[in-house]
Structures are given as structure tokens and as C-alpha cells.
Amino acid sequence: MNLEIVNSQTWKNQLKKSLFLSFLIFVLSACVILAFGFFIDKISFPLLSSLIVLPLVGSLLLIFINRNQEELIKMTALMVSLIEFILSLPLYLSFDKSTAQMQFREEYLWIPKWGIKYSLGVDGISAPFIILSSLLTILCILVSWREINKKIKEFYIAILVTHTAMIGVFMSLDTFLFYIFWEAMLIPMYLIVGVWGGPRRIYSAIKFFLYTFIGSLFMLVGIIFLFLYTGTSDMLKLMNNIYPYNMQIWLFLAFFVAFAVKVPMWPVHTWLPDAHTEAPTAGSVILAGILIKMGAYGFLRFNLPMFPDATIAFKPLMLILSVIAIIYGALICLVQSDLKRLIAYSSVSHMGFVTLGIFALNHQGIQGGLIQMINHGIVTGALFLCVGIIYQRTHTRQIADYGGVATVMPLYSAFFMLFTLASIGLPGTNGFIGEFLILYGAFKAQKIMGILGATALIIGAAYMLWLYQRVFFEKTSNYVLEHIRYYGDLNVREMVILIPLAILVIWIGFYPGTFLGIMDISVRELLIHINTLLGVAR
Amino acid sequence: MEKFYFLIPLFPLAGFFINLFFGRFLKIKAVNAIAIAPIALSFIVSLLAVWEVLSGKIIEYNLYTWILSEELKVSFGYLIDELTAVMLIVVTLVSLLVHFYSTGYMHGDPGYYRYFAYLNLFVFSMLMLVMGNNVVQLYFGWEAVGLCSYFLIGFWYEKRSASDAGKKAFIVNRIGDFGFLLGILLLFVNLQSLNYGDIFQKVGLLQDKEITFLLWNVDLITVIAILLFCGAIGKSAQLPLHVWLPDAMEGPTPVSALIHAATMVTAGVFMVARLNPLYSLSEVALMVVAFTGAITSFMAATIGVVQRDIKRIIAYSTISQLGYMFLACGLAAYGAGIFHLYTHAFFKALLFLCAGSVMHAMAGELDIFKMGGLRKYMPITYLTFLIAALTIAGVPGLSGFFSKDEILWFAYASPMPYGKVLWILATITAFLTAFYTFRILFVAFHGEFRGDEHLRKHLHESPTSMTIPLLLLAVLSILAGYFSVTHFIEPIVGKAVTALPHEDEKFVMTISILVSLSGIGLAWFIYICKPHFADAIKSRFQFIYRVLWNKYYFDELYDYLFVKPTIYFSRTVVEKITDRGIIEGIVNGVPKLCYIAGKSMRNLQTGFMQHYAILMIIGVCIILFIIFSV
């Protein structure tokens, strides 16, 4: 590291930064005022479309910035994501908790000949994920600040486009629109893993792409079939249609393949450890935080409400697959030697909890599943961010190279401990709320599934605490000392990344009502919907 | 007034946050003040609460709804009745004294502020545990105290053994909590409520209900009670999950006194007493509790007899005494169990703090056979240790005597047929207890100093910040027995049933006094009169000695039975064979197959006209053949 050059450039950077900072504050305050304006009259302003368009505009802006002005590129990306986040807040602030109807509706004819519409809307099931996604995108941009050193411009463009596609999936109310966003997200994600990833990035990127793409093709067949059968692509109409039993089974399977790969459920999970491990930190966070939630979301939007009879028929199988994922993922975590791979496999286990809750098919199960999806986004996202932060200092992901980090980085260790505890599901953290609800739901549905799922309490504690011990406790290894001395503990940027997530962990842990309240009616309506349609087909 | 009792746990929580965030910038005195003041305040508010309870009031208050999902409703709230009142006093008083003591003991440690932050967090969690008005809050406190215990056992995390012990404690506790959580879920599925009040009201409805488990019909209440008891087995270190407690002695000694003797480990006993209407409905569950307690108590005492590490002996003694409490609860004499919990908190904390004082003087040495003659150098520590030892041995007039005697009496007079067996076990244990406690006293404090000269010069009495808590605890150990907790909490836990007339109590009492005196006498005989006698016994009973010295090989057994197979199974069967072998084999095999198929088909495209012509003719022939043959 050439210190002199760094020093001579420092004051210039400082000046630039302060300029940007003032600009930033200006924009932020403007946004806050605007945001307040929206929820006085939310219909007149196309909030959801602007959420979709804004990152695209941002990436267009980035295209026109000279690639040498790295700070400017980063700042622009950061600002766009900040504005996006503030814009997404009305989704919570002016959300009507008393209805299960779609809110913030927008509808335009898109392909008039076939009646395909550009139709957006959110309800209690999707709204939290849009906000979460906006938050995580900010953090992803921040964590990439020093980590990404090549093709910086393209990287931030990719991040912003991914964001657009992801929130598009959560908003779409038209099957074709849904499919387009679903697939659109693959392209930038493929690039993020393949271009900025680790040593085995090409293999992982191709694997990730083909795996999910093949799954999605089944969904495409399902969507086209539904369209031909009913003549509409409106998801709300499709939901109220009644399909013959045999057709339900086949359609369920078609959608199931696409969503199961995405979740990922056992045994189609093997793309996940490779992709998570090789992706750059931001990529891992997006993958774990939002992308894999789309699978579970798909179950709730398509499989459950549209094919209730098939859902009941497949319920035992789904529960078994979920429990296998929970235990299998946890056991594999015990023997991982790579930090990121361990956390990736823990995702398999945690997402097993999500599907266990969803297919328990009762209020607590589904609500717990939703909360667990948010939790997993926060906690696993945070753990990947933590790994990214230390990887940047040490350039190793091998657990064996670490040891005694707590002595040299006490603040970092405290944050990591908090996220570890949340991952274990300690009461008082968000993890407990999700796991408790899910286990109760599963227990109510099928006692043995609840019991088997609960074994993850033990194995989960074992692998996470063992990981923590090997990385943070005992004597400080020379390797760690050498590499961390120069950087020291967390800097301000890194604190800014971790603090919001830490607050969320505690917040949901002690007052989950904020989130449970939003979902409540939507989940109840979903179950009522399923129960009324149940058996009609026969 | 009742609204403000949530301040009791809130003060320590505030202390925790302040010390955690700002402790590193503060002077030692400020850290002390921030750590101790909240505990003192909690103690004062607790006294107010107890005052209200004494005047016959039961305080229940819901703070806010924590989790709400359809019929599942859990709140944060508190219930202060006689049982909680006893626990509040024990927790706040002992922690106050231990906090004082720690200012001397931890002086100069680089993690000083961190230590006090954890300690305050522990007090918060423990108070949440005892004050909660529903089972989920109990579980919250339950896990939170486990977390603090994990932090404090591994406080000197640079030591491999310390971080191992912390991890072990957490995971072993989790195994118990697995059962505990299932118990909670089963309870809720059947009762639709988790509030104590509702549970006690409705629990009668569950009687005679059965549940099918693995094609086997079992009584529902028994299943719930035993599942919940699993949690108690873990937290209160009973057989077979006791293995974590001796290792937990890696933590600072005041922590052992507070968490691993006086408060946290008694949470299991508290839970059983708290849920007594549930346990009383199931004879089988009570029997399980009683026998677990009695057998643990006996087994731990036998191990304690041969150990050399002063803290470990006291740790096994703790396990043994906890077994006593469960024995009482298992006889439906919950009052006696809580009474023993209450007296034990004082004298066991005192024993540990004395051990800490000795370690302070001995530069961390733990082996009692490297000590000796300490009474000359540390008179106050000697005096207080003597009082504690007399108390735990059950010498009449001291607090331990009252509570222990009550348990023995309830065992002897129990209407259950197995009562006498339990009484015999408990009486033998009482003998062993007196023996090993006085073994420490005679070996460490009497005779000549066995360490080197350098260490001998270093010997000194501990500073006043440590000796004052010792003296206060000694006073409490003597006097605590004169306040009959059993009688006080009778309205909550009911009165134990006895099948024998009260006159027989004299007989039990005589036996127990004789037993404890003979235990002390034997210790005196072996370690003072005939110092070589111990070695003679050791070599005579080699096998028994080795088994006891290795703690019945529990750790080794678990390692070979559970830990190693799990790791091996995960590594080979799950990861290598299933994940990398089968699943990845298919995932990578399909593209490979496509590739091979394409490659081999490519050979057909030779580019020679003749080849294509021949193939065409062959094809035509085959088609013709098929057509004509049909």
C-alpha cells in the first residue's frame, strides 16, 4: 500500500465528500417531505412504478459518468439507493393494515390483444420485502465501497438493476410481468457472481443460472397453460378460479419446481453454497437476503391460493422435505471449513424453517414463515456482511486461519455475536419469534414435524458457537494479527452498515408487532381463501 | 404502585447498556457505581414488592403484548407472589454481595467493564425469569441466563478450556431446552394459553387425556411435565445433563458463586415449584423428578469425595444439593425444595466466595493438596468457610440443617412406597456431603502449608471489599433458616402430605445429626489424625477411585456416543456421499451426459456422401422390413 499517494489524495476526497454530503442531506430532506406528501393521497402518485423506475434511472445516470470518477459513481449509486429506501417507507407508513386487498394499485394495458396488463400492487405479504430489499441494497453498496476494485461502474449498475427486478417480482400482479421480472433478475445476478466473484466464479455463475433457469421454464409452461385455460393473466382472477384436481396437481408441480429451486429446498439446493460462496459480499447479501425469499413468496402467491387441493395433497411431502432441509443443512454446517460456505448452508437450514411454516398451512406457521423470511434476510445478510468486512482485511475465508479476533476487533466481535445469537434463535432476538411461531405452527399441523424441526435448536447452536469460538476466541493467530493491525476495528462506514441490522434484530425480537401486524390480515385472508376453495374442484 | 415493579429488572438492564457502550471510557469507580447502583435499586424495589406481598397482596401486571398471532398471544408481564418474593430476595441480595465482592476480585482485569456488564445482564435475565407471568417469558429468561452464563464462563476467552466450557454449557443446556420448548408447545396446543393463572385454572381439564406418541398412548400431563423437566435437568445440571457444570468453573469465581450456585442453576427447581399444579397431577412425573434428584445427588457427592480441585468439589456439591431440591419437589414438598434453594443460595455462595478468596491468595492455585495451613494466613476466610461448611454439613442451629432436615423428613414420611429408598439415598448423601466439605477444610486450612516458599510469602487475607461480603453471607447462612420459607409459600405450593405422625420427625432428625457429625469426624480422622490413611484407601480400592476420579466417564461416553458419531456422520454420509456424491453427481452428471451424447453423435456427421448413402439404404431397409413383417 502506497501511503503517500493516499495522503495526497485525502484532502481532495474530503472536499468531494463534504460536497456530496451536503447535497445528500438536501436530497434526503426533499425526499422526506415528498414522502410525507405521498401518503396524504397515495393513489394519485404511482409509488410502485417510481420505485421500479428509480434504480433504472440511477443506472442510466451511472452510464454517463466517466469511469475514472469512482467516488462519484459510488456516491450516485448510494444516493439513488437511499432515495429508493425513503420512497419505499410509505409502503409501511401509509399501509392500510385493516384490509387484505392489494394496495397502491396501478394498472395499465400492456399487450391489449391478449389482455396482458402492467399491473402492480402490494399487500401485507409482499410489502415488507420491498422495504427490506431497499435497505439491503444500500448496505450492499456501502460494503462494496472498498471491496470492488474492477469495473466499478458496471458493478453498481448491476446492483441497481437487480434491485429493480427483485422488487418488481414482489409487486407484479400479472403472471407475465411476474415472469419477466423473475427472469430479469437472473442476468445482473449472473454477472455479479461471474465477474466480481471468487476463484471458482465461472462455474458457480453458470450453475446458478442454469439451475434456476431450468426451474423457471417449468413455471413458464405453467403460466402459459394457465393463460390458455382461463384466458387471463391477472393473478387475482387466477386465484379465484377453480381448477380440476388433476390439473391442479400438474400445475402445482410446475410452479413448485421453479420455486423450490429458488428457496432452495432439499434436494435442489446445491447451487446455493457455490453461488453464495463465490459471489462478492454484496452478491451474497442480495442472494441470501432477497433473492431466495422469492421462492417462498411464489409459494404463497401461486401454489397455495391457486391450487389448494394439490397443496393439501402435497403437504406431507413438503413438510418432510422441509424437515430434511433443516436437519441436513444444519449437519453439513457442522463440518464446513469455509466461513461463507458455512453460512450458506445455514441458509438451507433456515429456509427449511420457512417452508415448514408455510406448508403447516395455519396462521402461525405462515406468519412465522414470513417473519422468518425477513429475519433470515436480516441475519444472514448481516453475517455475510460481517464476513465481507473481515475478508477484506485478511483475504481468507478458511476458519482455521482465524482465531482470537475478539482481542483485536472487539466491536466487530460484539456485532457478530449478536447476529450469531439471532441465527441460533435466542429469545429477545428476531430469530426466536420466527422459529417459535413456525415450530408452533408445525407442531399444530403435525407433531412429529415440529419435534424434528426443533432439533435444529441444538445443532444450530452447536455449529454457530463452534464457528464463533474458532474465529473469535482463543489466542490471536499470527495471521490475523498481521492482517488486521493495519485496518483495526470497524470503521465508520462499516458501523453504519451493521447498526441498522442490529437494531432490527432487537426490534423484531422484542416488538414483532410492527411486522406481524402488517401481515396479519393478509395471512388470515389467504387461509380463508384456501379453505373456501378446498374440495370445490372435486 | 404495581405498575412500577417492572423497574426491578429494568435497572440492571440499564446498567448493562451503559457499561457495555461506555464502560471502556470510564474510570473503575464509575464502572463500579454503574454496576452496583442498579442492583441496589432493584433490591430496594424488591423489598417494597415483598412488603406488599407480606401484606397479602398478589401483584400481576401485563406490560405489553409481545407476540400476537391469532390464538397465540404472549405478553411481557410480571407476577409477584410469595414464591416470586423469595426468589427476588435471593437474586437481588446475593447478586448485590457478589457485585461488591467482584470489585475486589476482578480488580485490574482488562475486561473489567465487560465483566460487570455481563453480570448486570445476568441479573436482568434472572429477574425476568422469576418475575414472568407466563411460560414463554420464563423461557426468555431461561435462555437469557444461559447466554450470560456462556459469556461469563468463557470470560477469559483466550484460554481454550474456558471457551470450550462456555460452548459446552450452552449446547448441553440447549438439549434440555429442546424438551422444554416442546413442553411449552404441547401445553399451549392443549390449553390455548400460557399464562400461569390460566394454566393452573385449566390444567385439571387435561387429566386423563392421552396422547399418541410413536403408536404408544401416554398420559398427556405426564408427557408435558417430563418435557418441561428436561429443561430443568439441563439448567439445574441433573443427571444426565450435569456434565457442563463442573466445567463451568472456568469462569471467574464470583460468577460461579452467583450463577452456578445461588441463582441460575436453581431455575429448574423454581420452574417445577412454579408449575406445581401441573406436576402434582402426575405421579409418574413426580417420581421421575424425585429419583432424578436423589440419584444425581448421591452420584455427585461420590465424585466430590475424590476430587482435588477446590472449585470442582464445590461444583459437585452444588449438583448434589440441587438434587436434594428436586428430591423435595418430587415428593410434592415444593415448599421444602424452595426453602433449601433459599438457604443453599447463601451458604453455597459463601463457599464459592471463600474459594475465590483462597485462589486470590494462592495466585489462582486450585488443588487443595497444594494448600494447607491457610487458617493462619487468612483468618476471616477460614472463619467464614468454617461457618459455610458447618451449614452445608447440617449442623443443628444453622440454616442448612433446617432445610435439609425438612427434605429428609418428607422423604421418610412420604406416602409413596419409594419414600424410604429416597430417604436412605439422601441420608448417605448427607454423610458424604459433610465428609467432602470438611475434607476441603482440613486439607486446605489445617496442617502445614504444602506450596513453595515464594507462594507462602505471597499469602495474605483478601481486601475488605471481599471479606465484608463473606462476613455478611456468613451471618445470612446462620440466620436464614429461622425464616420458614416452607410455611411462607404454602399458599402457592400447598402443603406436602406425610403419612407418618409428627413424632417420628425426631428420629429422622437424630439420624441426620449423627450422620453429619460422623461425616465431619471421619474427615477429621482421615485428614488430621492419620494423614496416610487416605492413600491406603485409595490404593486398596483402585478401581472405584479411578471411576470416581474420572467422574463415571460421562464426558468420554458422550464424546464417543454423540459428538464423534455426529461429526463423522455429517462429514461422510451427509456431506461426502449425499451432497457431493449423489446430488452433485446428478447435477453435474446431466450436463456431462449431454456433452458426451453430443460428442458421440458428432461422429456420425462425417461429411462423406457414401456414408450418408449407406445409412439411408440401411434405414430404408429397416422401414421396409418393419412394414412387411407387420
Side-chain angles (χ1 to χ4, degrees):
Chain A
M1 176 73 65
N2 197 334
L3 279 173
E4 265 176 59
I5 294 172
V6 174
N7 281 334
S8 66
Q9 282 182 345
T10 316
W11 71 271
K12 271 187 191 167
N13 287 339
Q14 299 258 302
L15 184 72
K16 247 191 234 167
K17 269 181 195 163
S18 55
L19 272 174
F20 271 114
L21 215 65
S22 49
F23 181 51
L24 200 86
I25 292 166
F26 165 71
V27 174
L28 284 185
S29 46
C31 285
V32 170
I33 295 162
L34 270 175
F36 265 94
F38 299 151
F39 62 81
I40 294 167
D41 184 10
K42 56 188 175 193
I43 300 142
S44 63
F45 185 82
L47 182 63
L48 298 185
S49 289
S50 43
L51 280 173
I52 288 183
V53 171
L54 184 66
L56 289 180
V57 173
S59 41
L60 261 179
L61 263 177
L62 286 180
I63 290 177
F64 294 110
I65 298 175
N66 190 326
R67 65 170 61 253
N68 292 327
Q69 284 188 298
E70 298 179 355
E71 291 291 310
L72 185 63
I73 292 172
K74 292 172 191 168
M75 268 302 177
T76 313
L78 178 64
M79 226 145 38
V80 169
S81 65
L82 271 175
I83 298 171
E84 174 85 357
F85 176 64
I86 290 166
L87 260 179
S88 74
L89 285 181
L91 285 185
Y92 173 71
L93 294 174
S94 60
F95 188 85
D96 185 0
K97 286 181 197 171
S98 60
T99 171
Q101 296 293 315
M102 289 294 167
Q103 304 182 30
F104 304 95
R105 284 297 302 273
E106 284 171 43
E107 205 174 83
Y108 310 100
L109 261 185
W110 181 22
I111 310 177
K113 198 177 164 192
W114 294 325
I116 294 175
K117 281 176 283 188
Y118 170 84
S119 163
L120 302 176
V122 294
D123 66 353
I125 293 175
S126 51
F129 294 102
I130 296 167
I131 304 174
L132 179 68
S133 162
S134 309
L135 175 67
L136 285 181
T137 303
I138 300 175
L139 306 182
C140 285
I141 289 171
L142 278 174
V143 81
S144 307
W145 214 259
R146 296 265 172 274
E147 186 185 310
I148 303 299
N149 293 318
K150 62 171 186 183
K151 299 194 193 345
I152 291 175
K153 193 158 115 179
E154 288 80 352
F155 180 79
Y156 290 100
I157 291 175
I159 293 266
L160 289 176
V161 174
T162 316
H163 177 74
T164 291
M166 284 188 310
I167 60 170
V169 168
F170 288 112
M171 292 172 183
S172 308
L173 292 180
D174 185 286
T175 47
F176 285 99
L177 193 61
F178 180 89
Y179 184 76
I180 285 170
F181 279 127
W182 180 275
E183 295 292 33
M185 182 213 47
L186 272 184
I187 302 159
M189 206 58 230
Y190 169 71
L191 292 176
I192 289 174
V193 178
V195 177
W196 293 276
R200 284 174 73 230
R201 57 179 182 270
I202 305 292
Y203 169 77
S204 304
I206 292 176
K207 191 171 177 182
F208 161 69
F209 191 93
L210 287 180
Y211 229 121
T212 44
F213 190 70
I214 291 170
S216 311
L217 282 179
F218 285 91
M219 179 169 72
L220 182 63
V221 173
I223 287 174
I224 292 173
F225 182 86
L226 276 176
F227 180 70
L228 294 177
Y229 182 73
T230 60
T232 178
S233 61
D234 188 332
M235 277 157 71
L236 299 175
K237 282 184 193 150
L238 287 172
M239 241 180 249
N240 289 317
N241 225 320
I242 289 156
Y243 308 94
Y245 184 71
N246 281 336
M247 193 187 286
Q248 280 195 25
I249 296 281
W250 288 106
L251 283 169
F252 183 97
L253 283 174
F255 283 96
F256 168 74
V257 172
F259 300 143
V261 167
K262 208 69 148 199
V263 167
M265 284 172 85
W266 189 85
V268 285
H269 64 276
T270 52
W271 64 268
L272 179 129
D274 282 319
H276 276 57
T277 312
E278 295 305 320
T281 306
S284 310
V285 173
I286 292 176
L287 274 170
I290 303 298
L291 195 135
I292 61 177
K293 306 295 157 357
M294 289 163 34
Y297 173 76
F299 283 131
L300 290 170
R301 269 280 179 275
F302 288 87
N303 291 34
L304 263 57
M306 290 185 196
F307 322 121
D309 292 302
T311 307
I312 297 290
F314 281 114
K315 179 178 159 183
L317 179 69
M318 296 294 129
L319 291 180
I320 290 170
L321 287 181
S322 308
V323 167
I324 292 178
I326 291 172
I327 298 173
Y328 183 96
L331 283 178
I332 283 198
C333 281
L334 279 176
V335 292
Q336 293 307 308
S337 55
D338 179 312
L339 263 175
K340 265 184 127 176
R341 220 177 160 76
L342 195 155
I343 297 168
Y345 268 114
S346 82
S347 285
V348 176
S349 183
H350 286 240
M351 289 309 282
F353 267 108
V354 171
T355 48
L356 179 67
I358 288 176
F359 284 101
L361 292 179
N362 50 37
H363 195 89
Q364 288 83 9
I366 293 179
Q367 217 171 9
L370 282 166
I371 273 279
Q372 182 73 356
M373 280 154 78
I374 296 175
N375 290 342
H376 179 263
I378 294 167
V379 173
T380 308
L383 286 173
F384 275 125
L385 289 168
C386 282
V387 173
I389 285 169
I390 200 161
Y391 180 77
Q392 227 204 313
R393 288 164 167 74
T394 58
H395 296 283
T396 174
R397 291 194 315 249
Q398 291 306 309
I399 297 171
D401 291 337
Y402 288 97
V405 174
T407 316
V408 281
M409 296 177 76
L411 263 176
Y412 174 75
S413 314
F415 276 109
F416 203 104
M417 180 42 96
L418 180 69
F419 299 128
T420 300
L421 296 175
S423 167
I424 297 174
L426 200 88
T429 64
N430 55 358
F432 173 70
I433 308 292
E435 285 181 12
F436 185 68
L437 286 174
I438 290 169
L439 287 176
Y440 175 67
F443 201 73
K444 209 162 83 172
Q446 194 101 64
K447 286 207 173 53
I448 186 75
M449 295 301 164
I451 296 170
L452 289 175
T455 52
L457 285 182
I458 303 168
I459 317 173
Y463 69 72
M464 280 315 282
L465 291 184
W466 194 20
L467 167 75
Y468 197 86
Q469 181 192 23
R470 285 179 289 173
V471 173
F472 291 89
F473 290 158
E474 297 171 23
K475 280 263 175 294
T476 314
S477 70
N478 288 333
Y479 188 86
V480 168
L481 266 183
E482 256 169 54
H483 289 81
I484 290 179
R485 205 168 28 197
Y486 181 76
Y487 294 95
D489 209 342
L490 297 180
N491 59 32
V492 177
R493 176 177 58 88
E494 290 160 343
M495 296 267 277
V496 168
I497 295 171
L498 295 179
I499 285 175
L501 295 174
I503 290 174
L504 275 172
V505 164
I506 304 282
W507 178 3
I508 302 181
F510 277 95
Y511 196 77
T514 336
F515 294 85
L516 291 175
I518 290 188
M519 301 160 179
D520 208 37
I521 294 245
S522 297
V523 172
R524 192 173 304 144
E525 285 296 320
L526 176 67
L527 283 166
I528 292 173
H529 176 85
I530 293 173
N531 284 327
T532 42
L533 287 192
L534 205 60
V536 177
R538 294 206 208 199
Chain B
M1 186 62 207
E2 64 177 16
K3 272 185 197 165
F4 296 103
Y5 290 129
F6 73 92
L7 287 174
I8 299 176
L10 216 62
F11 285 127
L13 186 67
F16 160 70
F17 277 119
I18 297 173
N19 260 343
L20 186 73
F21 291 134
F22 308 110
R24 67 178 67 201
F25 312 114
L26 296 173
K27 289 205 176 83
I28 281 190
K29 283 209 171 131
V31 172
N32 285 344
I34 291 164
I36 295 175
I39 312 292
L41 284 171
S42 295
F43 178 58
I44 293 165
V45 182
S46 305
L47 283 181
L48 288 176
V50 173
W51 183 253
E52 258 191 87
V53 171
L54 277 174
S55 64
K57 220 171 137 188
I58 285 178
I59 302 153
E60 189 170 3
Y61 189 76
N62 272 331
L63 272 181
Y64 71 95
T65 305
W66 181 20
I67 307 172
L68 179 68
S69 176
E70 291 285 269
E71 81 272 13
L72 182 76
K73 185 177 177 216
V74 179
S75 343
F76 269 120
Y78 47 84
L79 167 74
I80 305 178
D81 55 8
E82 284 85 347
L83 178 59
T84 309
V86 172
M87 294 304 288
L88 278 181
I89 293 300
V90 168
V91 172
T92 49
L93 188 56
V94 177
S95 16
L96 191 59
L97 293 173
V98 168
H99 270 73
F100 267 119
Y101 180 93
S102 299
T103 57
Y105 189 84
M106 297 301 287
H107 192 84
D109 194 282
Y112 195 76
Y113 75 93
R114 197 162 55 90
Y115 172 84
F116 278 101
Y118 292 159
L119 219 51
N120 274 12
L121 182 66
F122 169 76
V123 178
F124 159 75
S125 321
M126 193 66 206
L127 289 169
M128 289 296 273
L129 193 160
V130 297
M131 285 175 72
N133 66 348
N134 62 69
V135 187
V136 184
Q137 197 180 334
L138 176 74
Y139 185 74
F140 169 87
W142 195 268
E143 292 273 286
V145 288
L147 173 72
C148 301
S149 152
Y150 166 76
F151 283 153
L152 285 164
I153 294 169
F155 181 72
W156 290 305
Y157 57 80
E158 291 186 335
K159 246 167 79 188
R160 175 74 191 258
S161 54
S163 64
D164 272 344
K167 187 183 63 182
K168 183 172 171 186
F170 198 99
I171 293 169
V172 172
N173 266 302
R174 264 284 159 120
I175 296 171
D177 294 348
F178 168 70
F180 194 48
L181 187 67
L182 291 180
I184 293 177
L185 294 178
L186 199 56
L187 198 61
F188 188 79
V189 168
N190 286 293
L191 285 182
Q192 301 297 308
S193 175
L194 288 166
N195 260 38
Y196 291 139
D198 296 337
I199 292 175
F200 300 156
Q201 231 172 37
K202 292 192 207 160
V203 76
L205 303 175
L206 299 185
Q207 229 169 345
D208 302 327
K209 267 199 193 171
E210 289 199 328
I211 180 176
T212 314
F213 182 72
L214 299 176
L215 307 171
W216 201 29
N217 279 342
V218 251
D219 183 43
L220 182 62
I221 293 190
T222 307
V223 173
I224 294 175
I226 289 178
L227 281 174
L228 291 174
F229 184 60
C230 285
I233 288 178
K235 188 107 303 175
S236 298
Q238 297 295 293
L239 218 60
L241 297 180
H242 64 286
V243 287
W244 66 271
L245 188 60
D247 287 13
M249 297 300 123
E250 290 288 343
T253 309
V255 169
S256 312
L258 177 62
I259 300 186
H260 304 118
T263 53
M264 182 188 85
V265 289
T266 60
V269 184
F270 168 76
M271 190 268 288
V272 175
R274 176 46 91 205
L275 297 175
N276 67 80
L278 180 78
Y279 280 88
S280 295
L281 286 178
S282 167
E283 264 180 31
V284 181
L286 281 181
M287 196 176 83
V288 171
V289 173
F291 272 93
T292 309
I295 294 169
T296 308
S297 160
F298 173 73
M299 181 218 66
T302 53
I303 299 176
V305 167
V306 300
Q307 299 298 313
R308 298 166 68 103
D309 177 324
I310 183 168
K311 281 185 79 180
R312 281 183 189 244
I313 302 172
I314 307 178
Y316 278 108
S317 156
T318 307
I319 297 176
S320 174
Q321 298 299 310
L322 288 166
Y324 257 97
M325 299 173 207
F326 280 114
L327 168 59
C329 290
L331 295 162
Y334 309 101
I338 295 293
F339 189 22
H340 197 57
L341 184 162
Y342 156 85
T343 56
H344 173 259
F346 300 123
F347 65 72
K348 189 51 67 64
L350 179 56
L351 272 181
F352 266 119
L353 293 185
C354 288
S357 177
V358 169
M359 283 168 68
H360 197 69
M362 296 284 299
E365 180 58 59
L366 285 161
D367 189 344
I368 50 170
F369 286 94
K370 290 186 180 153
M371 302 170 186
L374 292 181
R375 74 185 147 146
K376 280 173 268 176
Y377 307 96
M378 316 178 69
I380 301 177
T381 307
Y382 172 68
L383 177 73
T384 48
F385 194 95
L386 180 64
I387 292 170
L390 287 171
T391 314
I392 192 176
V395 170
L398 302 171
S399 64
F401 168 73
F402 295 107
S403 52
K404 194 185 273 186
D405 185 58
E406 229 168 72
I407 294 173
L408 290 170
W409 161 242
F410 284 124
Y412 182 77
S414 164
M416 294 296 160
Y418 48 78
K420 296 279 191 300
V421 181
L422 296 176
W423 174 72
I424 293 170
L425 265 178
T427 309
I428 300 173
T429 308
F431 170 75
L432 292 172
T433 308
F435 174 75
Y436 64 67
T437 318
F438 275 84
R439 174 170 169 260
I440 305 177
L441 187 90
F442 291 138
V443 173
F445 289 91
H446 288 256
E448 286 303 310
F449 187 66
R450 290 188 271 293
D452 55 15
E453 195 57 20
H454 174 72
L455 201 56
R456 200 182 61 81
K457 279 189 188 137
H458 180 73
L459 289 176
H460 58 275
E461 183 57 275
S462 300
T464 41
S465 56
M466 289 163 71
T467 47
I468 290 174
L470 289 182
L471 289 168
L472 285 174
L473 276 171
V475 173
L476 284 167
S477 304
I478 298 169
L479 298 180
Y482 293 99
F483 171 66
S484 173
V485 170
T486 318
H487 185 67
F488 177 59
I489 64 171
E490 223 162 60
I492 305 297
V493 298
K495 217 175 150 142
V497 190
T498 50
L500 295 173
H502 223 271
E503 288 75 58
D504 289 15
E505 195 170 354
K506 290 225 174 63
F507 166 71
V508 175
M509 201 184 283
T510 322
I511 297 273
S512 85
I513 293 170
L514 277 179
V515 153
S516 69
L517 288 180
S518 56
I520 298 170
L522 186 67
W524 179 78
F525 178 73
I526 292 181
Y527 293 101
I528 300 281
C529 293
K530 298 246 166 127
H532 300 294
F533 198 54
D535 289 327
I537 301 174
K538 198 200 283 180
S539 47
R540 183 87 173 73
F541 301 100
Q542 268 290 332
F543 176 72
I544 295 175
Y545 175 78
R546 217 174 312 133
V547 170
L548 293 182
W549 173 249
N550 288 304
K551 309 141 199 163
Y552 294 99
Y553 296 99
F554 269 107
D555 282 324
E556 290 78 2
L557 193 72
Y558 289 168
D559 199 35
Y560 281 106
L561 230 57
F562 303 113
V563 181
K564 289 221 168 89
T566 310
I567 299 281
Y568 180 79
F569 177 78
S570 309
R571 182 157 288 144
T572 53
V573 178
V574 179
E575 195 188 23
K576 280 212 182 107
I577 297 177
T578 316
D579 210 55
R580 294 228 190 109
I582 300 172
I583 297 176
E584 280 288 80
I586 294 170
V587 169
N588 289 329
V590 172
K592 213 171 265 172
L593 213 68
C594 295
Y595 179 73
I596 292 167
K599 202 174 165 188
S600 48
M601 293 300 266
R602 197 166 58 193
N603 294 335
L604 290 175
Q605 312 281 326
T606 52
F608 292 112
M609 254 336 204
Q610 301 93 314
H611 291 175
Y612 295 153
I614 287 174
L615 282 175
M616 219 162 92
I617 291 167
I618 293 170
V620 169
C621 288
I622 292 171
I623 290 168
L624 286 176
F625 178 76
I626 291 169
I627 289 171
F628 285 108
S629 64
V630 169

